Amino acid sequence: MPRKYNIDQIILRLLAEDDLSRREIAEKTREALGRPVSDKSINEALMKLLEDGKVQVVDYDLSVYNSVKRIQSIKSDGIVFGLMRKDPFKISMLFRRTESEDAGEAERAYKKLRRLFRAKMAVAGMKDYTLFDRMMNEIFIMDSKNKDRIIRRLSWALSDEKGSLDEFEDLIHYFKVREY
């Protein structure tokens, strides 16, 4: 029976210090535990953290190829991970990307925003997840001045900034009142 070592928590602590490649994460995780841990377990923990939106891929470390000139495959050891940082600017950029001409990019941005919204709803103890779609529809039919203002406020509300939860609750109330 496999043992659980809370590898995901160890990875989060490591990434709180700096962005690390998959290879560095594996080495430091094994070092922290003082025992061998399979690559499979580390990869599984990283995928769980990616799915949960706690980490993101931030770069690729080409040094894993050791000066090889003709690279024919991608090594997972070079993928660099970092903690998911939710600052208002990045969230605002997601809103802008929802208006992209590229349907795939717009859909990915929309899904990320919905994931952030649901996470904030959970923190606020709310369960009306359909509100996000109604809010987005209303935002996109607003005139540009009001739209920009609401996007700035919503970007702040969805961020990790101090006071963002209060702003989030105020905006939820605002949109619920507008429904009636």
Side-chain angles (χ1 to χ4, degrees), residues 19-145:
D19 296 342
L20 300 169
S21 70
R22 202 213 64 82
R23 180 183 62 208
E24 294 167 327
I25 290 171
E27 290 169 1
K28 290 183 182 224
T29 300
R30 291 179 181 116
E31 186 180 300
L33 287 172
R35 63 180 60 230
V37 178
S38 70
D39 282 345
K40 182 179 174 183
S41 295
I42 291 168
N43 291 343
E44 186 177 358
L46 281 167
M47 286 307 296
K48 180 182 181 300
L49 292 169
L50 276 168
E51 287 174 355
D52 292 346
K54 293 181 179 178
V55 300
Q56 62 186 347
V57 175
V58 295
D59 201 358
Y60 192 83
D61 179 11
L62 293 172
S63 71
V64 297
Y65 294 104
N66 298 324
S67 303
V68 172
K69 297 293 182 211
R70 186 167 180 237
I71 299 169
Q72 297 177 325
S73 64
I74 296 175
K75 294 182 180 182
S76 64
D77 281 348
I79 300 171
V80 178
F81 295 90
L83 289 179
M84 179 70 87
R85 292 171 181 87
K86 296 182 278 187
D87 65 70
F89 178 74
K90 288 183 181 178
I91 295 169
S92 180
M93 293 307 296
L94 284 174
F95 276 104
R96 298 295 176 227
R97 280 195 277 167
T98 61
E99 297 174 328
S100 171
E101 295 293 323
D102 178 2
E105 181 180 353
E107 184 178 1
R108 283 188 300 275
Y110 186 82
K111 285 179 179 179
K112 285 181 185 178
L113 284 169
R114 184 172 43 202
R115 202 173 322 133
L116 290 170
F117 183 84
R118 287 183 175 193
K120 200 68 159 195
M121 289 285 280
V123 169
M126 300 175 186
K127 296 193 188 288
D128 186 8
Y129 298 122
T130 61
L131 182 60
F132 177 75
D133 293 321
R134 294 192 310 260
M135 285 172 54
M136 292 299 284
N137 289 333
E138 189 168 331
I139 287 170
F140 288 113
I141 60 170
M142 287 181 172
D143 62 88
S144 62
K145 182 181 175 186

